[in-house]
Amino acid sequence: MSVLFMFPGQGSQRVGMLHALPVDPAVVQTLAEAGDVLGTDPLTLDAAEALRSTVAVQLCLLIAGVAVARTLARQGAAPDMVAGLSIGAWPAAVVAGVLDFSDALRLVRLRGQLMEDAYPSGYGMAVTAGLTEPEVAAIVAQVNSAATPAYVANLNAERQIVVAGSDAALTQVMTRAQSAGASTATRLCMAVPSHCPLLDAQAGELATAVAKVTAHTPQLTYVSSSRARALFRANLIVEDLAWNMARQVLWHDTLQHALERGARMAVEVPGGGTLARLAKGVFADDAVLDAGSGLDAVRVRIQRQRRGDGL
């Protein structure tokens, strides 16, 4: 009976998220490590002004994910399997033992800077709900051009699809999606067009940097959300990390793969609810937890699951 930890991507950040971390020695250690590597107090990263930066957002999600996962592990509620959506793949890799936290901090800072420098304005992402991937892809094909680039980026659920592109392209996609019957078509809190070829050059530069760090064999199952399958070799996982900014996110299929590999409980870490809601389309509702709703309850549920006492 495996437990899957799910780490969210950009858009799930919130003001004060690092200040709201649980009071635990693992959190203190994680924040101290981050401060030593970054050369600044990480608690300055989650202010409203700071979170306008892609770099700060991605670092916050990395630090918070690792801190909460370490806290649960210290309390006897570690995962058996991890998966992360976009930037969430990086804390997943740290928790799996593939990357040292210090290396992940340096690489994520570079990742965010590459993305921010490439697209400081005029681009982003939008989410549609109620339409299938082929329906959204058809709309994107109608809009996509050199002047208005647009790409299908995330397949979060069977009827929740994210599109990346220029502001003008996204406006057209949202209008057409609503006309086609979408229940939702709205911009995400994203300043860059992730998970599409617009970031190929930046992913290649990050891959060069990633190749210089030492990667380790995973100590638990790492499921790639770019490939929707488990990866077991360190070199494949770090390659996956480097290129995931330019590759589609196959989140629904990733959850399905985790279920097929034996995951029976899915926990969103550090919490927020976005991934938990998506997981309820794959896992039983009572098998999906949000760490943001209270770590004590999550710890108890995981330990009961491990003992075979039921959910």
Side-chain angles (χ1 to χ4, degrees):
M1 292 292 196
S2 294
V3 175
L4 168 70
F5 276 14
M6 309 176 294
F7 297 86
Q10 210 165 324
S12 63
Q13 70 272 10
R14 58 192 182 279
V15 174
M17 62 185 296
L18 298 183
H19 287 78
L21 289 171
V23 179
D24 187 89
V27 172
V28 174
Q29 174 195 352
T30 302
L31 291 173
E33 287 180 47
D36 289 343
V37 172
L38 299 174
T40 188
D41 182 358
L43 292 177
T44 63
L45 296 172
D46 67 358
E49 182 66 26
L51 288 177
R52 294 180 182 177
S53 164
T54 298
V55 178
V57 169
Q58 296 191 10
L59 285 171
C60 279
L61 291 170
L62 169 65
I63 294 166
V66 170
V68 172
R70 284 177 169 179
T71 298
L72 286 168
R74 192 187 72 81
Q75 296 175 356
D80 306 287
M81 196 179 299
V82 293
L85 193 157
S86 190
I87 183 61
W90 291 79
V94 173
V95 173
V98 178
L99 278 183
D100 295 337
F101 183 45
S102 57
D103 286 330
L105 285 162
R106 296 184 186 96
L107 290 167
V108 165
R109 178 169 57 187
L110 173 61
R111 182 185 192 267
Q113 196 65 61
L114 287 168
M115 296 168 76
E116 190 171 277
D117 290 349
Y119 297 99
S121 63
Y123 289 80
M125 304 182 80
V127 61
T128 67
L131 300 179
T132 64
E133 188 274 334
E135 290 172 320
V136 176
I139 293 171
V140 167
Q142 294 166 7
V143 172
N144 184 40
S145 70
T148 54
Y151 299 88
V152 175
N154 298 32
L155 282 62
N156 287 344
E158 291 180 338
R159 289 181 178 271
Q160 186 186 108
I161 313 299
V162 177
V163 176
S166 68
D167 289 347
L170 295 178
T171 297
Q172 291 187 47
V173 168
M174 289 187 293
T175 299
R176 290 172 184 253
Q178 288 170 335
S179 297
S183 57
T184 298
T186 186
R187 288 291 295 263
L188 292 174
C189 187
M190 288 283 296
V192 292
S194 298
H195 308 300
C196 72
L198 292 171
L199 287 174
D200 277 349
Q202 290 69 35
E205 189 170 342
L206 183 60
T208 300
V210 168
K212 297 176 182 178
V213 306
T214 300
H216 313 282
T217 301
Q219 302 303 300
L220 47 84
T221 302
Y222 170 94
V223 183
S224 162
S225 62
S226 300
R227 303 188 185 190
R229 65 183 180 89
L231 301 178
F232 299 97
R233 291 167 51 189
N235 65 312
L236 292 180
I237 293 173
V238 295
E239 186 268 349
D240 183 69
L241 291 170
W243 284 93
N244 79 353
M245 71 163 83
R247 291 175 174 162
Q248 278 189 337
V249 174
L250 309 175
W251 189 248
H252 180 74
D253 289 348
T254 295
L255 294 180
Q256 192 65 47
H257 181 76
L259 182 71
E260 291 168 358
R261 292 195 68 87
R264 292 296 177 266
M265 176 177 284
V267 184
E268 182 176 344
V269 177
T274 299
L275 297 188
R277 286 189 291 273
L278 293 174
K280 288 182 178 180
V282 177
F283 292 82
D285 285 1
D286 60 356
V288 177
L289 306 177
D290 177 359
S293 64
L295 288 194
D296 286 344
V298 169
R299 173 182 55 79
V300 170
R301 294 279 299 281
I302 291 174
Q303 291 172 342
R304 286 178 58 191
Q305 172 82 351
R306 292 261 164 70
R307 290 196 305 266
D309 295 342
L311 299 173

